[in-house]
Structure formats: C-alpha cells, structure tokens
Amino acid sequence: MPRPKSHSRENLLDSALKAFWKIGYHVVSMGDLVRETGVSRAGIYSDFNGKEDLFHACLDRYQETVVTPAFAPVEAEGADIDSIETYLNNLLTRFEKSGGFGVGCLVGNTLTQIPEDAVETRQKLRAHCDRLTAGFHKVLTHESDDHGLLTPAEIGELARYTMISVQGIWSYSRLTEDVAELRAASDMLIRVLKSQLRGAPR
Amino acid sequence: MPRPKSHSRENLLDSALKAFWKIGYHVVSMGDLVRETGVSRAGIYSDFNGKEDLFHACLDRYQETVVTPAFAPVEAEGADIDSIETYLNNLLTRFEKSGGFGVGCLVGNTLTQIPEDAVETRQKLRAHCDRLTAGFHKVLTHESDDHGLLTPAEIGELARYTMISVQGIWSYSRLTEDVAELRAASDMLIRVLKSQLRGAPR
DNA sequence: CTTGTTTTAGAATGATCGTTCTTTTACATC
DNA sequence: GATGTAAAAGAACGATCATTCTAAAACAAG
C-alpha cells in the first residue's frame, strides 16, 4: 500500500500560485518554489512535469480558488450592475489586505510576458478573459433588457471593454499603494456602465 | 584621438528597446541583445553599466521615440477628444503593422513583473502613467470648460481612468490577433469620454 | 526491532545567465 | 607598410537556472 504524501497537492498549488502571482512565472525559480511551498524538489517533480506544467496547474487553481469566488457575484443568477460593483469591491478589499503594492491579476501579469509560441498558456489566458467578458455580457444583456438603449453588438463591445478596463485597473494596482486611486477608477467604471446602459444620469 | 564607435548609441538602444518590448526584461538575455543589436558584449558594456542600466536607458528612449510621437496629438496645444482618438488610432495602426499578436506597451509589460524593491524602475513606470494621465487631464479640462458637467475632481478621476483603460487595451493586444476587438474597445472608450463630458448622446 | 517502501534533503548535472577578460581584428596616423 | 590604439569577437567565469539522481530519513507492516 502506497504511503500518502506528506504534502497535499492543494497546498503545494496554493503556495506556488502565490509565488507565481507575486513574482512572475519567469522570475520565480524552482528553488523559490521549494522554499515557499515547503515541498521537496522530488515532491514537486513527482506531482508535475516541470515548471511549466506546475504553472498551468496554478492557472487552473487560480480560476477555481480566486476567480470563481471573487467573480461569483457577477456569475450569479440575476446579477446586475451592483454585482459588478461588488466584484470590484472584492478586488479592492484584496488589495487593501495585501498592504503596499498589489499583485494585480495572475492572468494580466502573465500575458504581458507570454512568448508568441506558448500556445497552451495563451489559451488559458484567453479563457480567463472570455470568462470575464461572458460574465459581464450576461449582466449587461440583462440590464439592457430593462432599458433597451444598446444593440446586441454594442453590448458585446461594452462587455469586452469592461473586461479590458478591469484588467487595466489590476495592472495599475502593481504601481500604486493608494487604494483611493483604484477605488476612483472602479467607481468610474461603474458609473460609465450605468450611463451607457441607462442613458447619462449624472 | 579616440576612434569613434562603429555603432551608434541610438541604434543600440532602438534594437534593445525592441527586444525588451517584445520579449520582456527578464526573459531577454544579453546574448539575445548582442544578436539583435549587432553590437558586441564589450560594446554594450562600454556604453552601459549592465543589463538593468541598459533597460532604464531603453525606458527613456521609449518615451522619446515611441510615446512622444504617438501621444503628440494629445499633448498638442488645443487638443480635444478627437486628438485622443487620433492617438488611439496611432496605436491601432502600430498593432496592424506588427502582424499577429501585438507587443503591448513596454511600461505595461514591465509593471506586471516589477519586484517590490525596483525603486528606479517603478519611478520611470509611474512617470509614464502620470504623463499619460496629465495629457488626458488637460484635454478633459479643456473639453469640460465647454460643457461644465464635471467637477475638477471628477475630471482628474476620469483622466486616470482613461489612462488605465488605455493600458488595459494594450495589455489585451498581446492576447488577440484581431484588430477589430481592439478598435471596438478604443471606440468604446472614446464614446464613454464623450458621454461623460457632454452628457449621454447616443 | 526488522524489513520494505516512499518521501525527503540536497548533491550532481548540464545549460544558460550576466559579466569580465583576452585575443584578434580594424582603423588612424605616421 | 609600420605602429599604436580602440573596438569586436568570443572564450572564460562564477552564479544560478531547471531538472535528475543519490543517499538518508521516515513511516507502515510484520
């Protein structure tokens, strides 16, 4: 009977995810990962086929343990613009708890460094962006039904625009220590969405 | 009398800039730079105090040779929202000429990987963001004078929001090959600015 | 405690990193 | 062409990378 591993795959992934997220895929070393995860080199290599494979697993883990809970309000049944605001507030709270500079979004951090030929990685990043866009799209469609100011094509464009703006906010969170700057941007995005959907209230 | 170098500092910087921009600071190696710039190792090290110093010089060069011309419409006297549109079209054109995936913005690419203690680098990235924000701010102030819908504080927030959205667009350009997606986002941003400034037209 | 198995810590490996050094080459001046 | 000087080419260096291997430790079962 095989002896169970002393480390759990989940804990390994969570620690590695944290390191990749904060430091970046290329800069973090296997030595860093051994130290941060507390798992031996052999332990890591017995669970994963090398660094890239571990990273891909971390991208999946990121979806499950970070995006899913944070984005849940938007993906929930009957979500509306306030749900998007809740989602953004979740991220602002995460930023505040981190103290100092933020770590941004693992996906956004990665895509600015992705080589042309990293097909599988790019695919995962795109899936994340499409997931966010789809979440926003559903909300915007639902909201638009009540007002009818936008065409379906415009809703699609606004949804992707929202995703892009959110990515921008989290990029910028690596550069500022001031949550007020991020909150202002977040509030502005919400205001923009409301005004696009419902016609300029102010 | 010292013999002049066969390579010019400008050409060296331009080639290194291209490599850093496309591949990223950490991933590009000195060997890559020697190959891409056509300048010998000794030549590079005689002009710069190592890789980081060269990179900082490239960040400055990026401002001079990329940002200044592209952003000129916005920083010009009497610039208006159409100038921002012209700026965004400049970037879309750059994307189209590149073929395939874009390279994004050197600053945006860098800030997602910057270590906590890279003070000088962070300072340059912030300066870039502040420059963009200031350019947008001037335009929005000018435009707002004609309509007066926004408070000065709101104009400041809208300016930074604009900068953040633009960064988001260029981040995303590394993930898509479809210029239409980027154009839609760019158009959406312009529409948003107009509607925030002038009250919702549609 | 002994035996068998599995994980562990960490040494070894070959590649590559940024940087330096040495040799060769190329040019200016006589 | 000969001589002196500076740049170019690339070998060399120590550090570190991802990965593999080895040997010791830790546990389960008898």
Side-chain angles (χ1 to χ4, degrees), chain B:
Chain B
M1 176 170 284
R3 188 154 69 91
K5 299 192 167 147
S6 75
H7 68 266
S8 80
R9 184 186 162 95
E10 284 74 25
N11 288 340
L12 198 171
L13 279 174
D14 287 339
S15 301
L17 168 54
K18 243 171 42 180
F20 282 135
W21 194 353
K22 177 169 185 185
I23 304 182
Y25 172 70
H26 291 107
V27 176
V28 86
S29 72
M30 290 304 286
D32 295 334
L33 293 174
V34 167
R35 184 166 30 79
E36 295 293 322
T37 65
V39 177
S40 68
R41 290 179 131 78
I44 295 177
Y45 277 91
S46 85
D47 285 3
F48 303 95
N49 283 338
K51 191 183 180 185
E52 190 177 2
D53 185 43
L54 171 58
F55 180 64
H56 286 155
C58 285
L59 281 174
D60 293 340
R61 181 79 177 166
Y62 180 73
Q63 291 297 317
E64 295 165 18
T65 65
V66 178
V67 178
T68 294
F71 202 51
V74 179
E75 289 178 329
E77 207 61 39
D80 55 11
I81 292 214
D82 291 339
S83 311
I84 298 181
E85 196 165 4
T86 301
Y87 160 64
L88 291 173
N89 282 329
N90 283 352
L91 300 189
L92 289 171
T93 301
R94 178 189 306 281
F95 174 85
E96 282 181 310
K97 280 197 300 189
S98 79
F101 298 106
V103 290
C105 163
L106 175 62
V107 171
N109 297 352
T110 304
L111 78 85
T112 58
Q113 301 283 61
I114 191 177
E116 198 109 30
D117 60 335
V119 181
E120 189 176 345
T121 304
R122 174 175 275 111
Q123 201 173 313
K124 287 182 183 293
L125 305 187
R126 260 222 90 107
H128 170 83
C129 290
D130 290 345
R131 178 185 181 177
L132 294 194
T133 301
F136 295 135
H137 191 272
K138 198 172 156 204
V139 166
L140 296 177
T141 301
H142 174 253
E143 289 270 357
S144 184
D145 286 346
D146 302 346
H147 306 79
L149 286 177
L150 298 178
T151 68
E154 287 172 324
I155 292 175
E157 289 167 11
L158 188 57
R160 183 144 45 214
Y161 170 81
T162 305
M163 177 273 292
I164 287 174
S165 292
V166 168
Q167 292 288 1
I169 290 174
W170 296 111
S171 252
Y172 187 66
S173 81
R174 290 189 70 108
L175 205 53
T176 185
E177 294 181 291
D178 183 5
V179 71
E181 286 189 45
L182 300 178
R183 197 175 298 281
S186 164
D187 292 347
M188 186 61 72
L189 175 57
I190 295 296
R191 178 213 282 224
V192 159
L193 291 180
K194 286 182 176 167
S195 101
Q196 289 300 309
L197 278 169
R198 304 172 182 169
R202 264 191 26 84

Side-chain angles (χ1 to χ4, degrees), chain A residues 163-180:
Chain A
M163 177 272 293
I164 287 174
S165 291
V166 168
Q167 291 288 2
I169 290 174
W170 295 112
S171 251
Y172 188 66
S173 81
R174 289 189 71 106
L175 206 53
T176 185
E177 295 181 290
D178 183 5
V179 70

